[in-house]
Amino acid sequence: MNDQTLLTLAAAILTGRIGDGPAALTKALHLAPTALKDEHVTLTHAQRDRLRYLFTDYEWMLAKKIAVLDATDPEEGGIVARYQAAKARIARSWLAAPNLATRYVKEPLPDGGQLMHLQLRLDYGEHGLVDVLDFVVPETVAKHIEAKQIDLLTWAKQYLLAEPKTD
């Protein structure tokens, strides 16, 4: 697993959250903008720690698994599509779990707007062990959820249970 693969995933995740993922990533990790294109980039321990916290614990584990899998058996759609498909597949199975809780978290953005995250949380009840999958909810859907026009869990099931689109 190389750092470039994890940087690619992090840039895609940040793009989904705030728009310009590469710029946010280079700022967060104090990297030169050209570093994201460098196939031989090596992060420092401090940079890797900051990179890790762009993911939830469960998503970090999944990102590392997908990075190793991609290194040994690359898929045509690329690592980002593979990661997103795996995350959605896991979320679909979690929706059937009796210990699943959902919540949304509002995150203020520097431009004054806000981002809404849907969190699927599996609580194992012992020692505070909780796995979290985080999905950014589109602004239009967030407004419907806040206005009680659509239930968060209903939207999650519709969105996550839909089979991935193939071109």
Side-chain angles (χ1 to χ4, degrees):
M1 162 180 47
N2 66 34
D3 289 336
Q4 180 59 43
T5 303
L6 295 173
L7 287 172
T8 300
L9 284 173
I13 288 167
L14 287 173
T15 296
R17 290 183 188 163
I18 58 176
D20 192 353
L25 186 59
T26 56
K27 182 179 178 184
L29 301 182
H30 307 291
L31 291 169
T34 57
L36 293 181
K37 293 179 173 51
D38 181 3
E39 292 184 20
H40 304 290
V41 67
T42 301
L43 298 176
T44 65
H45 182 69
Q47 288 170 321
R48 201 170 287 111
D49 279 350
R50 286 192 296 273
L51 176 66
R52 181 263 167 271
Y53 287 104
L54 298 174
F55 298 84
T56 68
D57 291 342
Y58 193 88
E59 291 167 341
W60 180 242
M61 178 271 312
L62 179 61
K64 291 189 306 182
K65 282 186 175 189
I66 294 295
V68 169
L69 184 60
D70 193 67
T72 59
D73 185 23
E75 209 169 78
E76 189 175 317
I79 187 134
V80 173
R82 192 176 212 174
Y83 171 83
Q84 291 171 334
K87 184 176 167 182
R89 190 174 308 120
I90 291 164
R92 286 192 300 270
S93 69
W94 284 16
L95 286 171
N99 55 336
L100 176 78
T102 59
R103 74 175 186 176
Y104 66 92
V105 177
K106 295 178 188 176
E107 176 185 352
L109 294 174
D111 66 2
Q114 69 177 4
L115 202 57
M116 185 178 290
H117 297 264
L118 163 64
Q119 291 185 345
L120 300 181
R121 304 170 65 86
L122 278 181
D123 186 343
Y124 301 105
E126 293 183 28
H127 311 291
L129 296 176
V130 177
D131 283 333
V132 178
L133 286 176
D134 185 273
F135 296 89
V136 174
V137 178
E139 189 175 345
T140 54
V141 174
K143 288 178 182 177
H144 289 296
I145 291 170
E146 286 184 316
K148 307 274 189 241
Q149 293 173 346
I150 185 172
D151 176 68
L152 181 64
L153 190 56
T154 301
W155 177 82
K157 286 182 178 178
Q158 289 171 349
Y159 173 74
L160 296 172
L161 290 176
E163 286 301 315
K165 295 177 185 174
T166 57
D167 295 326

